[in-house]
């Protein structure tokens, strides 16, 4: 029996050794092949022609200009525009064409009192975005009146009421002792604005809101209705109806603010004030003529 197995062993020894090695190699290769097959394929080359998808978190702010460019008529070397002050009075303004007053854009200004507390109503030079910064209001007081947080660097000023009158945006910056909820509600209800057919804003008030009239002052500055041309860091011209102007004229704060050089002159019962480079001031003061209607 032993010889039989020895013969078999002797005759098949080499073949069995190779078969054993093949079996061992197969057992080793099976997991390796499975591992390679389970791996994700290598990413192909990125196409440079693919159009990237838009980033949905980015938004744009609709911020139309908060000023009016009045239509111009030419007379000789002058330009002539028709204006409407924010208390409804009309006037014709004539000036040297090189001054380009109409192209600077014009904004209304008016001020008044709510329960005896003085407040100003200003059309922001930077439009709605100057107040909203693309954010959300704190509260709505009326369909056209919203409350916004205090702006950084605004000094003594607090929260802001923003009024929408047609295309115009008018801001009331709270100051000192802030208005109460009831006072803000009354202001939102009783301050009215209408836009004339030529695009100017006229403000009126009722109830406990009283608006300043031409010739009124607070702390030495005129607070009656005004029209402001230009602004921001550039040249500025203010037209201020002022009864008995030659005796009662005072420099408007918007013109002499930030330590800028300013000059003024009376044209009848309208004060003309200008700030900017000396050549601009000289041309504005000497060249602007205002005729009330």
């Amino acid at each position: 029996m032993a010889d039989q197995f020895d013969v078999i062993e002797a005759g098949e020894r080499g073949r069995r050794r190779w078969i054993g090695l093949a079996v061992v190699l197969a057992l080793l290769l099976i997991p390796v092949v499975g591992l390679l097959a389970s791996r994700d394929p290598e990413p192909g080359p990125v196409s440079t022609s693919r159009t990237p998808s838009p980033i949905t978190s980015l938004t744009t702010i609709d911020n139309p200009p908060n000023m009016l460019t009045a239509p111009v008529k030419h007379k000789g070397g002058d330009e002539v525009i028709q204006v409407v002050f924010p208390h409804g009075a009309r006037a014709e303004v004539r000036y040297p064409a090189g001054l380009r007053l109409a192209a600077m854009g014009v904004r209304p200004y008016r001020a008044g009192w709510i329960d005896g507390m003085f407040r100003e109503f200003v059309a922001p030079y930077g439009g709605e975005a100057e107040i909203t910064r693309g954010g959300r209001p704190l509260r709505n007081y009326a369909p056209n009146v919203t409350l916004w947080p205090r702006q950084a660097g605004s000094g003594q000023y607090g929260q802001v009421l923003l009024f929408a009158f047609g295309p115009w945006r008018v801001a009331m910056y709270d100051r000192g002792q802030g208005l109460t909820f009831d006072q803000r509600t009354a202001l939102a209800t009783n301050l009215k604005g209408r836009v004339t057919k030529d695009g100017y804003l006229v403000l009126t008030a009722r109830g406990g809101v009283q608006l300043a009239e031409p010739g009124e002052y607070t702390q030495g500055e005129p607070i009656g209705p005004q029209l402001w041309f230009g602004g921001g860091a550039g040249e500025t011209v203010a037209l201020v109806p002022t009864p008995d102007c030659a005796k009662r004229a005072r420099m408007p704060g918007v013109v002499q603010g930030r330590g800028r050089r300013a000059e003024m002159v009376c044209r009848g019962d309208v004060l003309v004030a200008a700030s900017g480079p000396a050549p601009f001031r000289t041309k504005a003061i000497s060249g602007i003529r205002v005729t009330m209607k």
Side-chain angles (χ1 to χ4, degrees), residues 42-272:
E42 291 292 329
V46 178
S47 174
T48 57
S49 62
R50 183 179 177 183
T51 303
S53 301
I55 302 175
T56 56
S57 61
L58 297 181
T59 59
T60 58
I61 302 173
D62 183 19
N63 189 47
N66 201 38
M67 57 181 62
L68 175 68
T69 303
V72 174
K73 291 184 178 180
H74 296 271
K75 291 185 179 181
D78 293 341
E79 291 183 349
V80 179
I81 60 175
Q82 306 299 319
V83 301
V84 182
F85 288 92
H87 63 310
R90 291 179 172 270
E92 179 180 275
V93 182
R94 183 168 180 165
Y95 54 91
L99 195 62
R100 303 185 71 248
L101 192 64
M104 294 169 61
V106 60
R107 297 174 289 143
Y109 165 89
R110 204 154 189 202
W113 299 265
I114 172 73
D115 292 340
M117 302 177 70
F118 177 73
R119 293 295 184 270
E120 296 175 291
F121 306 103
V122 181
Y125 181 79
E128 182 174 317
E130 183 177 316
I131 307 301
T132 68
R133 312 293 188 185
R136 294 183 178 183
L138 301 174
R139 182 187 297 273
N140 287 65
Y141 282 92
N144 68 316
V145 184
T146 49
L147 179 68
W148 296 86
R150 176 184 179 277
Q151 295 181 301
S154 59
Q156 63 179 335
Y157 293 98
Q159 295 174 333
V160 187
L161 274 183
L162 185 64
F163 297 78
F165 299 118
W168 288 100
R169 299 296 179 266
V170 174
M172 187 223 74
Y173 298 82
D174 223 340
R175 50 196 275 177
Q177 180 183 353
L179 298 182
T180 66
F181 174 84
D182 290 339
Q183 288 171 330
R184 288 173 175 171
T185 302
L187 189 56
T189 303
N190 294 314
L191 183 68
K192 301 296 182 181
R194 67 175 178 88
V195 181
T196 67
K197 64 180 181 180
D198 35 9
Y200 289 92
L201 178 64
V202 175
L203 294 175
T204 57
R206 62 185 184 185
V209 182
Q210 178 186 355
L211 295 178
E213 298 298 333
E216 296 196 59
Y217 298 85
T218 290
Q219 296 181 349
E221 292 186 9
I223 58 171
Q226 305 172 24
L227 288 177
W228 296 346
F229 292 83
E235 296 91 349
T236 304
V237 170
L239 302 182
V240 187
T242 308
D244 201 9
C245 182
K247 295 180 179 180
R248 305 183 62 197
R250 300 289 186 277
M251 184 68 75
V254 67
V255 174
Q256 67 178 357
R258 301 179 183 175
R260 296 181 294 187
R261 294 290 300 274
E263 298 180 47
M264 65 180 184
V265 67
C266 288
R267 299 299 182 196
D269 283 341
V270 178
L271 172 68
V272 178

